[in-house]
Amino acid sequence: QSVLTQPPAASGTPGQTVTISCSGSSSNIGSNTLNWHQQLPGAAPKVLIYNNNQRPSGVPDRFSGSKSGSSASLAISGLQSEDEGDYYCASWDDSLTGWVFGGGTRLTVV
Amino acid sequence: EVQLVESGGGLVQPGGSLRLSCAASGFTFKFYGMSWVRQAPGKGLEWVAVISGGVGTEYYADSVKGRLTISRDNSQNTVFLEMNSLRVEDTATYYCAKHVGNSVVSTPDLWGQGTLVTVSS
């Protein structure tokens, strides 16, 4: 049971916009920044979004993050087949004094 | 090029020990927090430990507290994970990650490629 809650799966067709949610509490998302990590099949994770809505250099602007209260979401527009993989949200938790991850969302492009 | 390279993984028996290393390059290592995160086969990501830049304040996940120790050598640009009293459930790929700032609360912004640890008799 992960501290941050994500849907286990999401899907979309090429060109569509898909949104993945991440729900937490006042001790994590509600008081700290949220980041999103992408893990493509067989690869190491990669940071997609940090500090709620900032993209590292090289990450396309098709990926965007937002946060409101104790929840956050990742939007992927112009969906492409190479976007298939697992997506994780993460945040620092003040009560646990540690980092917490969501359980991950497997994105399928049909 | 900013890069993290993990090493030291392998097969170890339950109760055994292992030391993982993560060599950093392309940035001023001593100024940044560093984490270890693991992923059991077919499972999600689990944070293990974090150490701040500078004085090196440490925090651990409850599941590893007292058995795994994170440390850093700023002269070698390397972060370590000393693993003792290993259990079968510690079997995972271990990734190191760099944070955007000195503080343990600052967000990770770079991952290494990972090193596999298998605990089995």
Side-chain angles (χ1 to χ4, degrees), chain A residues 32-35 37 39 43-47 49-51 56 86 88 92 94 96-103, chain B residues 35 37 39 43-47 50 59-60 62 65 95 99-100 104-114:
Chain A
N32 294 291
T33 60
L34 191 284
N35 46 86
H37 304 269
Q39 189 173 32
K46 166 189 164 183
V47 179
I49 299 287
Y50 67 97
N51 288 350
D86 296 323
Y88 297 90
W92 177 264
D94 292 331
L96 298 174
T97 54
W99 281 87
V100 290
F101 281 89
Chain B
S35 273
V37 177
Q39 186 172 37
K43 302 296 184 182
L45 300 174
E46 179 191 16
W47 171 76
V50 64
Y59 293 94
Y60 297 91
D62 287 343
K65 210 170 287 186
Y95 298 99
H99 291 240
V100 296
V104 297
V105 182
S106 67
T107 188
D109 68 342
L110 177 70
W111 293 78
Q113 289 304 300

Side-chain angles (χ1 to χ4, degrees), chain A:
Chain A
Q1 191 83 357
S2 302
V3 174
L4 304 183
T5 301
Q6 299 179 234
S11 64
T13 57
Q16 263 192 335
T17 296
V18 167
T19 301
I20 298 172
S21 63
C22 176
S23 176
S25 69
S26 58
S27 64
N28 41 65
I29 299 176
S31 52
N32 294 291
T33 60
L34 191 284
N35 46 86
W36 289 94
H37 304 269
Q38 176 194 59
Q39 189 173 32
L40 300 178
K46 166 189 164 183
V47 179
L48 265 189
I49 299 287
Y50 67 97
N51 288 350
N52 302 327
N53 55 20
Q54 303 299 303
R55 284 186 307 275
S57 60
V59 173
D61 60 6
R62 302 188 296 108
F63 295 92
S64 62
S66 63
K67 188 184 97 165
S68 177
S70 299
S71 295
S73 61
L74 172 71
I76 308 172
S77 62
L79 201 60
Q80 301 178 3
S81 58
E82 52 262 42
D83 297 332
E84 277 203 340
D86 296 323
Y87 293 79
Y88 297 90
C89 58
S91 182
W92 177 264
D93 190 295
D94 292 331
S95 296
L96 298 174
T97 54
W99 281 87
V100 290
F101 281 89
T105 298
R106 178 149 294 178
L107 175 65
T108 303
V109 181
V110 297

Side-chain angles (χ1 to χ4, degrees), chain B residues 18-57:
Chain B
L18 212 54
R19 189 195 202 200
L20 306 184
S21 301
C22 170
S25 58
F27 62 98
T28 308
F29 177 76
K30 64 182 179 181
F31 291 141
Y32 295 92
M34 300 292 295
S35 273
W36 286 97
V37 177
R38 67 185 180 183
Q39 186 172 37
K43 302 296 184 182
L45 300 174
E46 179 191 16
W47 171 76
V48 172
V50 64
I51 187 166
S52 67
V55 297
T57 304

Side-chain angles (χ1 to χ4, degrees), chain B residues 3-121:
Chain B
Q3 196 174 10
L4 301 172
V5 179
E6 301 95 333
S7 61
L11 175 64
V12 61
Q13 292 190 336
S17 298
L18 212 54
R19 189 195 202 200
L20 306 184
S21 301
C22 170
S25 58
F27 62 98
T28 308
F29 177 76
K30 64 182 179 181
F31 291 141
Y32 295 92
M34 300 292 295
S35 273
W36 286 97
V37 177
R38 67 185 180 183
Q39 186 172 37
K43 302 296 184 182
L45 300 174
E46 179 191 16
W47 171 76
V48 172
V50 64
I51 187 166
S52 67
V55 297
T57 304
E58 308 154 33
Y59 293 94
Y60 297 91
D62 287 343
S63 58
V64 306
K65 210 170 287 186
R67 301 187 300 116
L68 275 58
T69 303
I70 189 171
S71 62
R72 63 190 300 155
D73 184 335
N74 292 333
S75 68
Q76 295 185 44
N77 291 342
T78 301
V79 61
F80 303 98
L81 187 66
E82 192 75 40
M83 310 172 73
N84 297 311
S85 303
L86 282 165
R87 305 168 180 168
V88 171
E89 55 265 34
D90 294 318
T91 294
T93 296
Y94 285 74
Y95 298 99
C96 68
K98 167 190 169 293
H99 291 240
V100 296
N102 182 308
S103 167
V104 297
V105 182
S106 67
T107 188
D109 68 342
L110 177 70
W111 293 78
Q113 289 304 300
T115 186
L116 178 62
V117 172
T118 303
V119 185
S120 174
S121 55

